[in-house]
Amino acid sequence: MLDFLNRAVTVDTYTLVVVAMLSGWAGVLTLHVLSRTVLALIFVPGFILGALITNYVFELTGFYPTPDRETNIVVACTLGIIFALFVLLLCLRVTAILSGLRVERHQFKRDLRRA
């Protein structure tokens, strides 16, 4: 964990620019698709974290899809943002289901039987 935090803080400028640009555009697209500003603002840090984690995992495992370093950074960040989107949407769906069950449990119930 400390190694990830150290590498996340000391990434080069190119990686920071790629992460910022891709996360920003993903946030804008999320805003237009979901039409909720707060959700888009919550999703952007998740996109950034997903991009940085995937970039770290690519470097840690030595997985390089292309021989070009810059292209590998873009591929890793893009895959990280896609994975983060799936995780965030799954969390959003689970939260909606759980809140629906909670509301249903606390509603008043009428007894429709006649005595």
Side-chain angles (χ1 to χ4, degrees), residues 22-32 40 43-44 47:
L22 289 175
S23 298
W25 279 110
V28 169
L29 290 174
T30 304
L31 174 66
H32 287 296
F43 276 27
V44 170
F47 293 149

Side-chain angles (χ1 to χ4, degrees), residues 43-104:
F43 276 27
V44 170
F47 293 149
I48 292 171
L49 186 64
L52 289 175
I53 287 174
T54 308
N55 193 22
Y56 172 71
V57 169
F58 271 36
E59 288 180 11
L60 190 67
T61 60
F63 177 70
Y64 301 112
T66 65
D68 187 31
R69 180 184 170 277
E70 288 81 13
T71 305
N72 290 332
I73 291 172
V74 172
V75 168
C77 292
T78 303
L79 290 176
I81 288 174
I82 292 170
F83 182 70
L85 177 64
F86 286 137
V87 169
L88 289 167
L89 288 176
L90 182 68
C91 290
L92 186 68
R93 185 67 178 155
V94 168
T95 305
I97 290 170
L98 291 177
S99 66
L101 291 174
R102 185 172 182 261
V103 167
E104 181 180 299

